[in-house]
Every structure is written in C-alpha cells, then in structure tokens.
C-alpha cells in the first residue's frame, strides 16, 4: 500500500512521500524561483532554474534584488532572433556603450546551499556550463540565456530572451563556437516579449522608441 502526498506547489515547497510499511522516503521536487519583469511595453513572468543553474540564476536574482536592472533599456532587438538586455550603460537609451557593461567587479552574491560567488574584476561570473553534469537547456523560444563576449567566463548582467529556437547558441552545440547557457524561461507574457521583438529598430538594432525595464520583482 503506497500513499503519495503532494506538498504545497504554490509556495515552491514540494516533497513527494512514498510510504512502504515503516519506511518513509522523501523525494525533493525541484523548487524554481519566479520573477516578474515590468517594462514600458508590459510585463512578463520568468521561471528561474535555481536548482539546475544556481550560479547563473542567483547572479540574476542578486542583481534584480539590488535594483541593478531598474531603469535599463533593451539595447539590442533583432526580430525573429532575440531581445537583449541588462547592460548598465543602457540606462541612457542612446548610449553607444550599451552592450559593453556589466556588474561591478569583485561584488559577492550568495547561492543558497552552496558557497558565495565573487564576481571577477570585470564583473563576470564563472561559466556554469563548464561544470561536469551541467543540464543541457537549449536556447528555445522564450528562454533566458546569458550574453557573453565569446571568451570564457565573460557573462555578467546581460542576457537575452530567445524568440525562436536558436540551437546554434547552445554550449553543447558544436556547429558554432557560441556558448550561451540558458538559466530561465518565460512562463507568462510571451506576447509582451514578442511585441518587444517586433519594435522598429535603427541600423544598430536599437529600438527607435526606448523600451525600459521599470522593475524586476523576485517572488519570495
């Protein structure tokens, strides 16, 4: 006789207990975190892969909770490809340095259950996909993926939202040298993401009418 008890999904705590006689085995079910991104074109909600990609996901969470992303603009939008965001220089929607910035070097953030992470002197974080057994999330439509320069350990605060399946950007796809790890996905408001993706842009792929992130709220 087996009884299955499901925990409270809404609070993110979910354990499945299997009772077999006097033996009780608890299986921990993954507990992702969620964030709501508010922009001048609408809001969308994101699931963050905090269990599978903790170093990358908690970098985003730390920056969001510290207000790093508030007031920044989507600086690079390419229709039927992706929307890029997260450069501190993009606070000025017309800055020519947008796309080159990142977090402050040497800053520290916590990864629950693991050690703290100290960002490199240029603000970058370690490439999590270089860890053995890293889950292989593909750059599918609606996924959040780290931007980088192509050099190892060069991801910081910038990320992009795929609007089509860009499998050639996967770190485990060897057809190109691009290696962009996915750390989350859109769960609500994909229509807003696609609306941003359809915005008119200039020759530098910058939206002609600035699209600003007003806040990112991490759900408790």
């Amino acid at each position: 006789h087996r009884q299955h008890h499901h925990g409270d999904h809404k609070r993110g705590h979910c354990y499945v207990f299997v009772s077999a006689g006097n033996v009780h085995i608890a299986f921990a079910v993954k507990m992702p975190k969620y964030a709501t991104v508010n922009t001048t074109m609408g809001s969308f909600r994101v699931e963050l892969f905090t269990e599978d990609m903790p170093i990358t996901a908690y970098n985003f969470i730390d920056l969001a909770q510290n207000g790093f992303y508030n007031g920044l603009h989507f600086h690079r939008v390419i229709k039927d490809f992706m929307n890029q965001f997260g450069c501190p220089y993009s606070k000025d929607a017309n800055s020519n340095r947008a796309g080159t910035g990142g977090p402050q070097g040497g800053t520290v953030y916590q990864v629950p259950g693991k050690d703290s992470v100290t960002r490199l002197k240029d603000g970058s974080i370690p490439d999590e996909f270089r860890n053995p057994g890293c889950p292989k999330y593909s750059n599918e439509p609606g996924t959040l993926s780290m931007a980088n320069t192509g050099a190892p350990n060069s991801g910081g605060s910038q990320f992009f939202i795929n609007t089509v399946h860009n499998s050639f950007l996967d770190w485990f796809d060897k057809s190109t040298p691009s290696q962009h790890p996915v750390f989350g996905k859109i769960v609500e408001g994909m229509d807003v993401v696609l609306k941003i993706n359809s915005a008119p842009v200039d020759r530098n792929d910058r939206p002609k009418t600035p699209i600003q992130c007003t806040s990112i709220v991490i759900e408790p």
Side-chain angles (χ1 to χ4, degrees), residues 86-187:
C87 176
Y89 295 125
S90 71
K91 190 156 269 194
D92 171 5
N94 297 311
S95 172
N96 290 326
R97 297 180 74 186
T100 64
Q104 189 175 344
T107 46
V108 179
Y109 65 96
Q110 301 300 318
V111 178
K114 300 185 187 298
D115 295 331
S116 60
V117 176
T118 302
R119 296 183 179 95
L120 305 178
K121 61 184 178 184
D122 64 353
S124 299
I125 64 170
D127 287 332
E128 193 160 18
F129 62 83
R130 299 185 194 280
N131 297 344
C134 182
K136 295 180 177 180
Y137 288 108
S138 189
N139 280 266
E140 295 179 11
T143 53
L144 276 66
S145 189
M146 287 296 284
N148 55 46
T149 65
N153 305 315
S154 61
S157 58
Q158 295 186 51
F159 63 93
F160 56 92
I161 306 170
N162 290 291
T163 57
V164 295
H165 193 177
N166 296 310
S167 59
F168 66 95
L169 299 179
D170 295 342
W171 59 268
F172 47 89
D173 176 290
K174 304 305 179 191
S175 65
T176 74
S178 298
Q179 296 181 305
H180 297 277
V182 167
F183 65 95
K185 67 179 181 183
I186 306 293
V187 290

Side-chain angles (χ1 to χ4, degrees), residues 10-33:
K10 289 182 181 172
R11 295 191 64 81
H13 298 284
C14 180
Y15 290 88
V16 180
F17 295 98
V18 180
S19 303
N22 294 326
V23 182
H24 294 269
I25 307 166
F27 298 94
V29 176
K30 287 178 183 173
M31 298 177 286
K33 288 188 82 72

Side-chain angles (χ1 to χ4, degrees), residues 17 27-29 31 37 52 54 56 80 82 88 105 154 167 176 183 189 191 193 200-202 215:
F17 295 98
F27 298 94
V29 176
M31 298 177 286
V37 181
D52 286 341
T56 312
D80 299 326
M82 57 94 225
S154 61
S167 59
T176 74
F183 65 95
D191 57 321
V193 173
V201 295
D202 64 17
S215 66

Side-chain angles (χ1 to χ4, degrees), residues 41-119:
M41 288 190 77
S43 300
F44 52 89
R45 188 165 176 256
V46 173
E47 176 185 326
L48 299 165
F49 301 155
T50 46
E51 300 257 345
D52 286 341
M53 299 293 289
I55 294 171
T56 312
Y58 278 103
N59 171 64
F60 172 90
I61 289 170
D62 174 70
L63 294 170
Q65 288 179 330
N66 284 302
F68 182 93
Y69 291 121
N70 299 355
L72 304 188
H73 295 84
F74 283 86
H75 66 271
R76 187 165 172 249
V77 170
I78 302 177
K79 188 169 172 56
D80 299 326
F81 181 34
M82 57 94 225
N83 304 332
Q84 190 167 338
F85 175 76
C87 176
Y89 295 125
S90 71
K91 190 156 269 194
D92 171 5
N94 297 311
S95 172
N96 290 326
R97 297 180 74 186
T100 64
Q104 189 175 344
T107 46
V108 179
Y109 65 96
Q110 301 300 318
V111 178
K114 300 185 187 298
D115 295 331
S116 60
V117 176
T118 302
R119 296 183 179 95

